[in-house]
Amino acid sequence: MVKNKITTMSNVQELASMIDHTILHPQLTDKDLEIGCQVAAKYNVASVCVKPFAVDQAKKLLAGTAVKVGCVVGFPGGISSIDVKVYETVQAIKDGAQEIDMVINIGKAMQKDWAYLKEEIKALADACHERGATLKVIFETDYITEEESIVKLCQICTEVEADYVKTSTGFGFVKGDDGRFSYEGATDEVLKLMKASVGPNVKIKASGGIRSLKRLLEVKEIGCHRAGATATIDMLEEAMAQLAD
């Protein structure tokens, strides 16, 4: 049962401050980026999360607002080398990104190569922190499903001082028995496991499947500080409508 209730505008703004409004689908155009940034500014969300080439554009579109610019790195498959991910991170920060959402090397996590993952995440954490940026580490939990692996990744992120651990890219599609591709994204079980497995300075970002106000409230109650979403308008308009009830 979700305990949070929408009773004041400060409740609505608290929810808005959780949202990273994502503008990441491959088919999105510059016009879509402009519209997405307008949505982010209108609702005063925490950030937009954009593709690397769009960072400078987003920075200009959001000038004069409190909305931060975030950028994905190694997205969505996490397959770039460590050096390339570091380069991409540094370039994004130079272009104006204040937050970096990196995808880990999923194959290395599948084979439990923790030394590689520690080196990779630390390299990006250092690159971010030396430049005043925040690092969020995407596990892709539709692929990394073993509890012990999720726990280990949380421990690594704590050790190297990443700022957030994050569930999904939203593109971690798994082929079902019916031949269709789908993903679960941020499940309660995984979010609770992450929350229990990180140190006190590492926050949780729920991403994948956050499409309703009900779900946003649920992940907030679990203890998530951020949520990646495209359904920003629907969620916050529903929250504001509850004020009128």
Side-chain angles (χ1 to χ4, degrees):
M1 180 178 177
V2 178
K3 300 175 183 177
N4 298 284
K5 293 183 179 180
I6 311 301
T7 58
T8 67
M9 274 304 298
S10 63
N11 294 146
V12 177
Q13 186 51 56
E14 186 179 0
L15 291 174
S17 70
M18 285 180 63
I19 296 174
D20 292 341
H21 185 64
T22 59
I23 314 171
L24 294 171
H25 196 283
Q27 292 176 307
L28 296 180
T29 64
D30 288 353
K31 182 61 177 177
D32 294 312
L33 176 69
E34 181 179 354
I35 292 169
C37 288
Q38 289 171 349
V39 168
K42 177 180 177 180
Y43 292 95
N44 196 30
V45 300
S47 78
V48 293
C49 192
V50 304
K51 307 168 210 177
F53 80 87
V55 171
D56 182 62
Q57 292 171 271
K59 179 183 177 182
K60 292 173 182 175
L61 289 166
L62 290 166
T65 77
V67 180
K68 295 180 179 179
V69 177
C71 179
V72 291
V73 164
F75 192 88
I79 59 175
S80 302
S81 70
I82 294 174
D83 286 346
V84 169
K85 287 181 180 178
V86 170
Y87 179 88
E88 193 173 17
T89 295
V90 172
Q91 186 60 53
I93 296 169
K94 286 181 179 178
D95 289 343
Q98 297 157 284
E99 302 187 343
I100 298 294
D101 290 42
M102 69 163 285
V103 187
I104 64 168
N105 187 308
I106 295 164
K108 292 291 188 181
M110 297 286 287
Q111 70 190 53
K112 299 179 172 58
D113 189 345
W114 306 126
Y116 182 96
L117 271 299
K118 181 177 178 180
E119 179 184 356
E120 177 181 66
I121 298 168
K122 184 179 188 306
L124 269 72
D126 290 347
C128 285
H129 296 159
E130 288 167 5
R131 295 164 177 83
T134 295
L135 178 66
K136 304 170 198 159
V137 183
I138 306 172
F139 293 1
E140 199 65 278
T141 53
D142 277 80
Y143 298 153
I144 311 302
T145 57
E146 293 184 10
E147 285 192 8
E148 65 178 38
S149 294
I150 294 170
V151 170
K152 183 63 178 178
L153 286 167
C154 286
Q155 291 170 343
I156 289 171
C157 288
T158 299
E159 185 176 350
V160 304
E161 301 183 344
D163 300 288
Y164 285 81
V165 293
K166 175 180 171 182
T167 50
S168 312
T169 62
F171 294 87
F173 297 107
V174 177
K175 189 175 183 179
D177 294 336
D178 60 358
R180 295 176 180 269
F181 287 87
S182 63
Y183 69 91
E184 285 191 283
T187 65
D188 284 0
E189 294 75 18
V190 167
L191 292 172
K192 290 175 181 178
L193 180 62
M194 285 178 156
K195 182 68 176 174
S197 303
V198 294
N201 296 321
V202 182
K203 298 175 183 178
I204 314 297
K205 177 175 174 178
S207 184
I210 314 301
R211 303 188 185 96
S212 68
L213 175 61
K214 178 177 181 292
R215 187 61 185 143
L216 183 62
L217 289 168
E218 287 171 347
V219 301
K220 180 178 184 293
E221 188 173 327
I222 288 170
C224 296
H225 290 80
R226 292 284 187 91
T230 57
T232 300
I233 296 174
D234 290 343
M235 293 191 295
L236 295 181
E237 286 293 332
E238 183 180 351
M240 287 188 283
Q242 288 189 15
L243 296 177
D245 292 343

